[in-house]
Amino acid sequence: MFKNLSKNHETGRRLPSVYRALLARPVSSLTPPIEQAGFDERFARLDQELAEKGLQYLSIETYFGDEWFCPDQSTAIAIPFWLADDRLKSIERVFAGYVEGETEEEFMRLLRHEAGHCVDHAYRLSRRADWRDIFGDTDMHYNPDGVKTVENHPDFVVNLSGGYAQTHPDEDFAETFAVWLDPESRCWDIYRAKPVALNKLMFVDSLMADCGAKNPRKVFNQKICQARRMRRTLESYYRQRFDAL
Ligand SMILES: [Zn+2]
């Protein structure tokens, strides 16, 4: 995909020369503490949305990782390190073609989605029989990239693009939770003609009323793939990510 790392050979996009020296630096040296990255307002917004919906006992940690994800069984959210500053975003744009979560709106959609996984882990929701009746088997093989999705499938809500809710029961729940949590989508009118998707939203609504009254279980937030500990260079990160060795 990129032989000499000065450009993406598939798209022809060139890396601005001023950023090339960064490729030789360890990811850890390029990543600031997340508290210094200017996202505090967005994290506070998430906390406020959760509290307004009655989930005031849920405590979510955030850190810079190598992509957007929530480590298994944790209530931590990894934010990709390449969102830390404009230089890293420019490099990501050249090699990935797109900076996921660059706009505030998309960032919040992703945060709400990952918060859905945190809620699941904190209250062991996907182990419940009623959860499985609605979303399916959480132990189903996980391979989101290998699932063919249908555009505008009526049985699923839409939060992230690409029909992501269709890829796995856990993702279906996280997407439904994100729509449920989003203050902008408080009115579910668009789902009135989609009874299966609406039923999922109503189930999450009743499930969260139940959770809100309880303390979540204590979980150990193991911060997997923490960018501040990644000694590999930025070049090595991109070469491995795109199998371009
Ligand atoms: Zn997810």
Side-chain angles (χ1 to χ4, degrees):
M1 185 182 186
F2 31 83
K3 290 172 202 147
N4 60 11
L5 269 260
S6 64
K7 74 172 188 180
N8 182 327
H9 289 267
E10 272 180 14
T11 63
R13 283 191 190 209
R14 285 195 169 277
L15 188 65
S17 56
V18 63
Y19 297 144
R20 277 180 210 158
L22 298 182
L23 292 169
R25 292 202 17 210
V27 169
S28 57
S29 77
L30 294 164
T31 310
I34 195 136
E35 302 78 25
Q36 293 172 18
F39 297 137
D40 282 2
E41 223 172 87
R42 297 176 190 186
F43 298 149
R45 210 173 127 193
L46 176 70
D47 285 342
Q48 194 187 337
E49 289 178 8
L50 290 167
E52 278 175 7
K53 289 277 195 162
L55 292 167
Q56 66 272 19
Y57 300 127
L58 185 71
S59 168
I60 292 178
E61 280 188 79
T62 51
Y63 69 100
F64 275 126
D66 60 348
E67 60 176 322
W68 282 98
F69 73 105
C70 171
D72 194 28
Q73 296 312 313
S74 82
T75 55
I77 297 177
I79 313 288
F81 68 88
W82 33 257
L83 284 175
D85 67 38
D86 288 343
R87 304 169 307 169
L88 293 169
K89 281 188 266 189
S90 293
I91 296 170
E92 172 72 6
R93 192 171 294 107
V94 169
F95 294 129
Y98 176 66
V99 184
E100 190 180 26
E102 186 174 24
T103 65
E104 185 169 349
E105 192 198 339
E106 191 183 30
F107 192 104
M108 290 308 300
R109 284 174 185 271
L110 286 152
L111 264 191
R112 292 186 195 104
H113 172 101
E114 302 304 346
H117 293 305
C118 294
V119 172
D120 175 17
H121 300 158
Y123 292 99
R124 284 190 186 277
L125 300 176
S126 50
R127 296 282 146 206
R128 290 172 55 140
D130 53 355
W131 189 100
R132 287 169 178 245
D133 284 347
I134 298 286
F135 294 105
D137 184 0
T138 184
D139 295 326
M140 200 178 98
H141 178 61
Y142 188 82
N143 179 25
D145 295 334
V147 177
K148 268 202 163 194
T149 57
V150 177
E151 210 178 328
N152 299 321
H153 194 305
D155 295 352
F156 298 86
V157 302
V158 176
N159 171 56
L160 304 177
S161 60
Y164 200 59
Q166 299 166 45
T167 62
H168 190 276
D170 290 354
E171 302 306 350
D172 192 7
F173 170 75
E175 285 290 86
T176 308
F177 177 85
V179 169
W180 172 83
L181 184 64
D182 184 357
E184 300 289 309
S185 61
R186 194 160 284 164
C187 172
W188 301 332
D189 272 356
I190 59 165
Y191 295 109
R192 298 241 175 262
K194 300 175 178 178
V196 175
L198 183 63
N199 191 42
K200 289 175 185 171
L201 282 164
M202 288 164 61
F203 174 71
V204 167
D205 197 44
S206 67
L207 198 57
M208 290 309 126
D210 189 25
C211 291
K214 297 176 188 160
N215 271 314
R217 71 191 182 101
K218 281 199 168 40
V219 293
F220 174 63
N221 284 336
Q222 195 180 7
K223 298 187 180 100
I224 291 169
C225 296
Q226 204 170 345
R228 300 259 300 158
R229 293 188 172 182
M230 282 169 67
R231 293 198 192 102
R232 66 187 325 173
T233 63
L234 192 57
E235 174 171 344
S236 155
Y237 163 78
Y238 276 109
R239 284 194 184 280
Q240 191 200 37
R241 185 168 151 199
F242 295 108
D243 293 319
L245 283 166

